[in-house]
């Protein structure tokens, strides 16, 4: 029997999910923007807010959905998984309370401390911004300043990297945050591991390195992610033997303390001189990391979802031994002043051997328009990171005008810098 699956969300992450699911089920989707890549793969597409739990549940019931998959964190925070589950639609995504592991960073750190989850940095939480400023003055070292709620990857300020201590205090005083987390600045190389989780089982995917900074050379403000790469094996070039397994141990310890968790748990780690430390957890696939891992997943994604729903052990995952490089095209001015509402042309024929994933664009009767976030991504696959980067670079002629790209992602020079950085830290 063909499963009917509802996908919530209209970004690049969701396009990757749709591509992984569509061959093996009847796929339907709902999102606030009409993503042309998802729309072509779906038997039905409903335009609605990703946080409108009632409308999404009504649509799920109208198509007799057997299961649902939630892409964006905003939907998890709004309790969409709760509403769908309560209506009898199995949802591969955590309920609102479990999703707090992402949506409430103060809760996240307290959870790690209270459950002895390894890799937790020094931290304190504050509701009084003046008290937070005093802590900055008195702390012996640099700190990361994190709003407790969701900020789309753009709210964190790191003293000693992005801002001075004085600028961090000014940021806090001028903000309207009601809660913040101040934690020790972690120095090293970041990487992420995403895991499929259900019924206490944890199945992990290859490590990925995302690139948050807007401009080449890791300069500029933070973004939702300008691109990412993975290697043909589970580890990354700058990681030593055991680093991957140590990070997986962290993820497993979270699930030991959250046995009812269902969906994807994403661990963002900083590889330090002492090993992996936790930057944060996300309660869903990463964007862009989903575009690195799902294209090389050989196990049907639908098999993971049905096993989770039916209370069976999750299948062991098989991945093609291929490296991937993802590069995003973003609107001019992104992330501080994006050129939203601009009509763009994407020459799909020029992508060649790469994969094209549409993200925060809106397909209208007269063409494709940018929104306030990333427009689309190309993903190259190859036997090595270098080969995958070459495929991605050749595909970027699809970008056209009015968008910007970080061309250095996945290049040999960037990888070499990562290796040199970790060698210096380990000395």
């Amino acid at each position: 029997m063909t499963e009917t699956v509802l996908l919530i969300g209209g970004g690049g992450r969701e396009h990757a999910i749709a591509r992984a699911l569509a061959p093996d089920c009847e796929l339907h989707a709902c999102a606030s923007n009409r993503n042309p890549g998802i729309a072509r793969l779906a038997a039905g597409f409903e335009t609605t807010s990703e946080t409108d739990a009632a409308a999404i549940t009504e649509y799920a019931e109208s198509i007799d959905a057997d299961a649902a998959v939630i892409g964006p964190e905003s939907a998890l925070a709004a309790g969409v998984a709760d509403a769908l589950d309560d209506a009898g639609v199995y949802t591969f995504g955590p309920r609102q309370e479990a999703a707090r592991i992402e949506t409430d960073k103060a809760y996240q750190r307290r959870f790690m401390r209270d459950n002895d989850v390894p890799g937790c940095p020094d931290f304190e939480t504050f509701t009084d911004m003046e008290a937070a400023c005093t802590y900055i003055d008195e702390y012996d070292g640099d700190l990361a300043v994190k709003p407790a709620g969701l900020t789309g990857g753009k709210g964190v300020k790191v003293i000693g990297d992005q801002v001075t201590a004085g600028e961090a205090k000014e940021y806090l005083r001028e903000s309207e945050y009601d809660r913040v987390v101040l934690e020790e600045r972690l120095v090293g190389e970041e990487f992420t591991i995403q895991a499929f989780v259900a019924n206490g089982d944890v199945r992990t995917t290859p490590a990925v390195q995302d690139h948050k900074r807007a401009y080449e050379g890791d300069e500029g403000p933070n973004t939702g992610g300008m691109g990412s790469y993975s290697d043909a094996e589970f580890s990354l070039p700058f990681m030593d033997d055991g680093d991957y397994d140590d990070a997986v141990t962290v993820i497993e310890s979270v699930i030991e303390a959250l046995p009812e968790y269902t969906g994807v748990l994403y661990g963002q780690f900083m590889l330090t001189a002492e090993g992996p430390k936790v930057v944060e957890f996300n309660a869903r696939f990463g964007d862009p990391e989903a575009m690195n891992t799902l294209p090389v997943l050989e196990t049907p994604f639908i098999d993971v979802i049905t096993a989770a729903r039916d209370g069976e052990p999750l299948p062991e995952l098989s991945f093609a031994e291929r490296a991937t490089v993802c590069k995003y095209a973003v609107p001019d001015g992104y992330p501080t002043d994006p050129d939203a509402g601009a009509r763009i042309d994407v020459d799909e024929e020029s992508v060649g051997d790469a994969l094209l994933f549409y993200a925060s664009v809106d397909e209208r009767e007269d063409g494709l328009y940018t929104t306030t976030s990333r427009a689309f991504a190309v993903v190259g696959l190859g036997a090595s990171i270098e080969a995958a980067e070459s495929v991605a670079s050749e595909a970027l002629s699809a970008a056209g005008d009015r968008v910007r790209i970080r061309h250095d992602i996945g290049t040999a020079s960037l990888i070499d810098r990562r290796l040199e950085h970790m060698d210096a830290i380990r000395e």
Side-chain angles (χ1 to χ4, degrees):
M1 183 185 75
T2 300
E3 302 280 349
T4 300
V5 178
L6 175 62
L7 170 63
I8 295 96
R13 164 184 47 221
E14 289 77 32
H15 189 179
I17 294 170
R19 182 179 178 275
L21 284 173
D24 304 305
C25 70
E26 180 182 292
L27 182 70
H28 294 254
C30 56
S32 55
N33 61 300
R34 185 173 177 84
N35 181 311
I38 297 174
R40 290 175 200 165
L41 294 168
F45 193 107
E46 182 80 0
T47 303
T48 187
S49 169
E50 291 87 352
T51 60
D52 190 338
I56 292 169
T57 301
E58 181 180 353
Y59 182 59
E61 292 175 328
S62 74
I63 61 171
D64 293 324
D66 299 301
V69 180
I70 295 178
E73 61 272 31
S74 60
L76 297 171
V80 173
D82 305 59
L84 287 166
D85 280 336
D86 292 346
V89 180
Y90 175 81
T91 303
F92 193 70
R95 295 175 71 93
Q96 189 177 45
E97 177 63 23
R100 289 181 70 199
I101 197 73
E102 171 177 9
T103 60
D104 186 339
K105 291 181 177 61
Y107 165 83
Q108 179 187 109
R109 289 309 190 200
R110 290 195 299 269
F111 173 91
M112 292 187 69
R113 180 184 60 199
D114 294 346
N115 292 283
D116 296 320
V117 175
C120 186
D122 293 336
F123 76 95
E124 292 291 343
T125 62
F126 297 89
T127 56
D128 182 334
M129 295 306 113
E130 284 304 319
C133 290
T134 299
Y135 185 80
I136 290 173
D137 289 333
E138 296 176 351
Y139 188 80
D140 183 18
D142 291 333
L143 292 161
V145 180
K146 295 183 174 183
L150 295 174
T151 60
K154 307 180 189 72
V156 177
K157 303 294 183 183
V158 181
I159 298 172
D161 179 21
Q162 298 166 298
V163 295
T164 65
E167 289 168 338
K169 291 187 289 184
E170 182 180 3
Y171 172 61
L172 287 172
R173 289 174 174 135
E174 292 181 351
S175 74
E176 297 181 357
Y177 300 133
D178 56 359
R179 294 178 303 134
V180 296
V181 181
L182 300 186
E183 59 189 45
E184 66 170 306
R185 177 191 175 189
L186 300 175
V187 177
E189 285 294 331
E190 290 190 30
F191 68 96
T192 61
I193 295 176
Q194 300 163 106
F196 297 102
V197 178
N199 311 318
D201 287 341
V202 176
R203 301 287 185 264
T204 58
T205 67
V208 181
Q209 186 171 57
D210 184 19
H211 299 72
K212 291 290 189 186
R213 293 299 191 93
Y215 309 128
E216 297 190 11
D218 296 319
E219 299 291 337
N222 275 352
T223 70
M226 293 295 296
S228 46
Y229 67 88
S230 64
D231 210 342
E233 55 189 30
F234 272 56
S235 190
L236 291 170
F238 57 81
M239 298 169 67
D240 281 348
D241 292 343
D243 290 336
Y244 181 91
D245 292 339
D246 289 346
V248 170
T249 297
V250 173
I251 293 173
E252 290 173 340
S253 68
V254 171
I255 300 308
E256 287 177 8
L258 280 178
E260 301 303 314
Y261 190 97
T262 296
V264 172
L265 181 63
Y266 160 122
Q268 183 178 3
F269 299 94
M270 183 74 78
L271 182 55
T272 71
E274 293 79 37
K277 297 286 188 73
V278 176
V279 177
E280 66 177 1
F281 293 111
N282 289 337
R284 36 72 189 181
F285 277 115
D287 187 340
E289 292 96 334
M291 292 178 277
N292 298 96
T293 51
L294 288 174
V296 295
L297 176 65
E298 294 180 327
T299 306
F301 187 14
I302 191 66
D303 290 355
V304 176
I305 294 170
T306 56
R309 180 194 62 196
D310 299 340
E312 300 173 354
L314 296 187
E316 297 295 334
L317 303 182
S318 176
F319 293 89
E321 294 182 0
R322 307 282 282 173
T324 68
V325 173
C326 172
K327 302 191 185 193
Y328 249 121
V330 304
D332 286 338
Y334 175 82
T336 54
D337 187 24
D339 184 13
R343 190 178 186 281
I344 59 172
D345 293 309
V346 179
D347 182 6
E348 296 186 5
E349 297 300 319
S350 70
V351 170
D353 294 332
L355 304 176
L356 173 66
F357 293 103
Y358 287 101
S360 295
V361 292
D362 191 30
E363 186 178 40
R364 306 174 191 170
E365 289 185 3
D366 61 338
L368 199 62
Y369 288 81
T370 61
T371 67
T372 58
S373 192
R374 298 161 293 176
F376 63 90
V378 295
V379 177
L381 284 74
S384 65
I385 296 172
E386 182 180 11
E389 193 280 330
S390 177
V391 173
S393 290
E394 290 177 8
L396 290 173
S397 58
D401 299 325
R402 310 188 78 169
V403 293
R404 181 175 52 78
I405 298 156
R406 260 195 71 169
H407 292 278
D408 63 339
I409 294 170
T411 59
S413 60
L414 182 142
I415 304 297
D416 286 344
R417 289 202 305 273
R418 303 293 190 246
L419 289 164
E420 292 168 1
H421 186 209
M422 281 311 305
D423 286 345
I425 287 172
R426 292 187 176 108
E427 288 180 353

